[in-house]
Amino acid sequence: MSSQLVCVDLLYTGEAVLEDACIRVSGGRVERVFTRGLRGISGLDLRGRRSLAIPGVIDLHVHLRGLRLSYKEDEESGTAAAASGCVTLVADMPNTQPPLRTTEALREKLSSLKAKARVDYTVYAGVPRSYGDAVEMASMGIAGFKIYPEDLVHAGRVQDVLEAAEEAGLLVVLHPEVPELFAGPDYGWLRRVSRPCHAESAAVDLLQQIARACGCRPRIHITHASCPETVVLSKRRGFTVDATPHHLFLSEEEAGGGPSAGWAKVNPPLRGLREKSLLAQLVVEGLVDAVASDHAPHSPWEKWIHPAAAPPGFPWLEWWPGFVAARLLGSMGIGGLARLVSQAPAGILGLEGRCLWEGCPATASILQLERTRVYHKGYSKALYTPALGMESFDCAATMIRGRIVYTAWDGMLGGVYGVLATGDIH
């Protein structure tokens, strides 16, 4: 197989930052790394553009929709949006239509991803009705199971999932909220009051109690923690935890009011300035294991209605790695950023370590470290975001297993290239 060169201003190998560096790629892996002086190459040369290459970004939490929700987003548009944002692997959530709570629905979803995905992917299954179903689903190449707030009232089914996940070595992901602790109806405003932080913490404790009752010890991951106390409690319980760009860098005061309040509606809700600041501090201190987008697209008409009726969630895949880098690179450095968006997510999923040194998979996210502003790139079907117009870095190029699948000037290159990333770990 022929080799190619990719050159950047800064290359993070997984251990060190190299300046004026080139990698030679062959057979989907890094064959050799060169530093300084290599000129006149035939390949992708991004030097002089303030380019930074890090091991490929992994998004632990996305909603690609598809199936009967393809009018919101589908596997092709969502993974193309991911490639345009420098995301190389997405982990898709099971609240589709039909929900991925049966082997039939899961098989249909995997088939659709195989036919359409532009980046690598994996899937979480929902909580099925029986232990036998959970065992069968665990054998289908999934990353793990997702437990939603409404599942926590069915302790027996949750125990089935915990046991099946432990036996298969899979992840269990929790959306941490207990609906019984919500303070009144959702009027669309001040949602951080109606869905308080203690409802998050209670869900973390409840799942631990269910696990203790069955003697189960699977790997448990708490996703989109919106409150600092949720992070601290999760770490005390021995769980991994992620936070989203919107909970880290947006607040309800800043984005949750006015006629576009429906745009910023999300579950868990945006918090106040205090919670946002403390959560970001926990990221810098290393208590948050990963950043994940919770990309949750809807059609524009669904988000333009009254916020009490608008569905929760908004799109992130076209921008979030650059958006996060623009805000954390100064305080965490390149290594800290790569840990949050690439290396730690790989470990959480149980995948091969992310690196860009000789012998490593040639999967890279190449950011351009020049400030621009968030705009709609045209890949995602969702045309709105509360981050519109905010400062961000952009994605210069995305490489997956040695193939350049996106550049900022040529757009998407080639067709379907994604594979089921967790298919080999079972």
Side-chain angles (χ1 to χ4, degrees):
M1 181 177 292
S2 61
S3 62
Q4 68 167 327
L5 282 168
V6 178
C7 298
V8 292
D9 295 307
L10 297 171
L11 171 69
Y12 182 66
T13 66
E15 294 183 354
V17 178
L18 305 179
E19 297 183 8
D20 188 6
C22 299
I23 59 174
R24 185 164 67 198
V25 175
S26 181
R29 290 189 173 265
V30 178
E31 184 178 73
R32 187 174 175 185
V33 177
F34 304 88
T35 57
R36 300 187 182 277
L38 200 59
R39 293 292 183 265
I41 72 162
S42 175
L44 182 64
D45 192 347
L46 296 175
R47 289 172 295 185
R49 301 191 185 206
R50 301 193 67 188
S51 54
L52 165 66
I54 62 173
V57 171
I58 296 174
D59 196 334
L60 291 170
H61 187 148
V62 307
H63 300 267
L64 296 180
R65 308 302 188 197
L67 304 181
R68 297 177 194 164
L69 297 178
S70 292
Y71 71 95
K72 298 174 184 274
E73 190 85 284
D74 60 38
E75 294 83 2
E76 182 175 8
S77 66
T79 55
S84 77
C86 275
V87 177
T88 63
L89 191 159
V90 293
D92 198 12
M93 289 293 168
N95 59 336
T96 56
Q97 288 295 333
L100 306 187
R101 296 178 182 268
T102 66
T103 55
E104 293 79 13
L106 180 57
R107 194 171 290 112
E108 183 181 3
K109 181 64 172 178
L110 288 169
S111 177
S112 185
L113 280 162
K114 182 178 181 180
K116 299 177 182 179
R118 302 291 194 94
V119 301
D120 291 343
Y121 60 89
T122 187
V123 178
Y124 304 106
V127 175
R129 290 184 174 274
S130 71
Y131 173 73
D133 285 342
V135 170
E136 184 175 357
M137 295 167 86
S139 70
M140 294 173 66
I142 62 175
F145 294 89
K146 172 70 177 292
I147 297 174
Y148 285 93
E150 61 268 24
D151 295 319
L152 290 171
V153 298
H154 303 290
R157 294 181 185 175
V158 173
Q159 287 183 351
D160 289 341
V161 160
L162 295 175
E163 291 178 8
E166 183 179 18
E167 291 172 3
L170 300 183
L171 192 64
V172 174
V173 179
L174 174 68
H175 173 140
E177 287 186 293
V178 175
E180 289 77 11
L181 297 179
F182 293 168
D186 183 352
Y187 294 111
W189 287 280
L190 288 176
R191 299 184 71 246
R192 70 181 190 273
V193 176
S194 61
R195 301 175 78 115
C197 282
H198 66 261
E200 279 195 5
S201 301
V204 174
D205 276 337
L206 181 55
L207 182 59
Q208 187 191 43
Q209 292 168 16
I210 295 173
R212 281 180 175 173
C214 69
C216 307
R217 296 179 62 87
R219 294 181 295 118
I220 294 177
H221 179 74
I222 308 303
T223 194
H224 57 36
S226 67
C227 302
E229 50 264 52
T230 306
V231 172
V232 173
L233 179 63
S234 298
K235 301 308 291 183
R236 285 177 178 169
R237 300 292 183 258
F239 305 154
T240 53
V241 59
D242 71 59
T244 68
H246 45 278
H247 290 122
L248 289 171
F249 304 118
L250 301 177
S251 68
E252 191 173 50
E253 292 96 326
E254 295 165 315
S260 62
W263 284 20
K265 183 177 180 179
V266 66
N267 290 337
L270 296 179
R271 302 295 176 183
L273 290 168
R274 172 185 173 276
E275 289 85 0
K276 179 191 79 166
S277 299
L278 289 173
L279 193 63
Q281 184 62 34
L282 292 177
V283 171
V284 174
E285 292 176 358
L287 270 72
V288 175
D289 296 281
V291 175
S293 73
D294 191 14
H295 171 83
H298 299 282
S299 65
W301 65 264
E302 290 175 305
K303 295 294 281 186
W304 271 113
I305 60 178
H306 191 282
F314 44 80
W316 263 123
L317 278 173
E318 292 180 347
W319 283 99
W320 79 263
F323 190 89
V324 169
R327 287 155 178 79
L328 289 181
L329 201 55
S331 56
M332 300 196 66
I334 294 173
L337 174 70
R339 176 186 62 80
L340 275 176
V341 303
S342 177
Q343 294 170 307
I348 290 168
L349 290 174
L351 300 175
E352 181 180 8
R354 294 295 226 207
C355 57
L356 288 174
W357 192 246
E358 293 165 7
C360 296
T363 296
S365 300
I366 306 176
L367 296 169
Q368 186 170 3
L369 304 184
E370 292 183 351
R371 293 187 182 272
T372 183
R373 294 193 178 273
V374 173
Y375 63 92
H376 179 55
K377 294 183 179 180
Y379 294 105
S380 175
K381 294 182 181 181
L383 305 178
Y384 58 90
T385 170
L388 193 68
M390 298 182 72
E391 284 193 349
S392 178
F393 295 147
D394 202 355
C395 177
T398 303
M399 180 168 66
I400 300 177
R401 287 172 280 112
R403 178 171 178 173
I404 303 297
V405 299
Y406 171 85
T407 66
W409 50 95
D410 288 327
M412 293 301 303
L413 302 171
V416 173
Y417 194 61
V419 300
L420 178 61
T422 50
D424 294 332
I425 67 174
H426 297 270

